[in-house]
Amino acid sequence: GSTGSTGSTGARGDQPGLRMVFETATADADQGAAKVHLNNSTASSATVLFVDDVEAGGASINSFVDSWDDSTNTALRGTVTISKTAAPENFHIFNITGAVISASTYSKCPVGHVLSSGTISDGDPVNVQFVRTGNAGADGSGSMTSFTMSDGSTTQAVTDGNTMTFSAGEGLDVA
């Protein structure tokens, strides 16, 4: 027999991240279970993000949030996005800029504002997503012991203490 007609589109799934509730209070205090709030009512002026120790489903997230400063890149340890669940085009993005402080029932995350769009109001369900910055790499100090140059058909090794002069040619530009 023939194939039936296509069904209707299903409901939109949840956004990624922790399920929380946005709070507009700015005090350095626990605002209640699953609350996330800033130390300034203007997101672009906020320097601290407060995150409760539990998410909306009641699961403890304290150790996860306290790990947001674990990158050895101390200037930018990661990025947090807070997006309104019902309208994800409304969001705030912040960089974690220092050590997270664990208070008794919430965490204090030092932040720098990156971008905001739209409005998130008091009591709005939000999704909080964190992306960690990689660890700092080697600083590049020290000395090179050798390297190999190749033009695709021949190779030349240069070892420590030796010098080599290169001329511009196919596949090699000399600045």
Side-chain angles (χ1 to χ4, degrees):
S2 62
T3 301
S5 60
T6 301
S8 60
T9 301
R12 181 182 179 142
D14 277 345
Q15 296 179 58
L18 302 168
R19 293 179 302 131
M20 308 286 290
V21 176
F22 194 75
E23 175 65 49
T24 56
T26 58
D28 181 352
D30 187 346
Q31 298 298 322
K35 297 290 180 92
V36 60
H37 67 287
L38 305 167
N39 71 331
N40 194 299
S41 58
T42 302
S44 61
S45 298
T47 57
V48 180
L49 170 67
F50 302 106
V51 182
D52 194 65
D53 283 353
V54 297
E55 51 84 55
S60 175
I61 59 171
N62 178 253
S63 61
F64 174 61
V65 174
D66 288 352
S67 76
W68 290 0
D69 62 0
D70 286 356
S71 174
T72 60
N73 268 317
T74 56
L76 170 59
R77 298 169 188 229
T79 302
V80 177
T81 301
I82 303 168
S83 57
K84 189 173 181 176
T85 303
E89 64 275 10
N90 298 292
F91 60 84
H92 301 304
I93 301 174
F94 298 94
N95 287 331
I96 300 293
T97 58
V100 174
I101 299 168
S102 184
S104 62
T105 56
Y106 64 104
S107 296
K108 307 173 192 184
C109 307
V111 296
H113 181 260
V114 176
L115 178 68
S116 288
S117 178
T119 303
I120 302 176
S121 302
D122 191 53
D124 282 344
V126 293
N127 291 71
V128 178
Q129 185 173 18
F130 174 72
V131 178
R132 184 181 185 270
T133 299
N135 285 334
D139 66 6
S141 65
S143 63
M144 178 181 68
T145 57
S146 68
F147 70 93
T148 302
M149 294 279 302
S150 174
D151 66 1
S153 62
T154 61
T155 60
Q156 176 67 48
V158 180
T159 58
D160 194 25
N162 295 318
T163 60
M164 180 175 223
T165 303
F166 298 97
S167 299
E170 186 175 325
L172 179 63
D173 292 324
V174 176

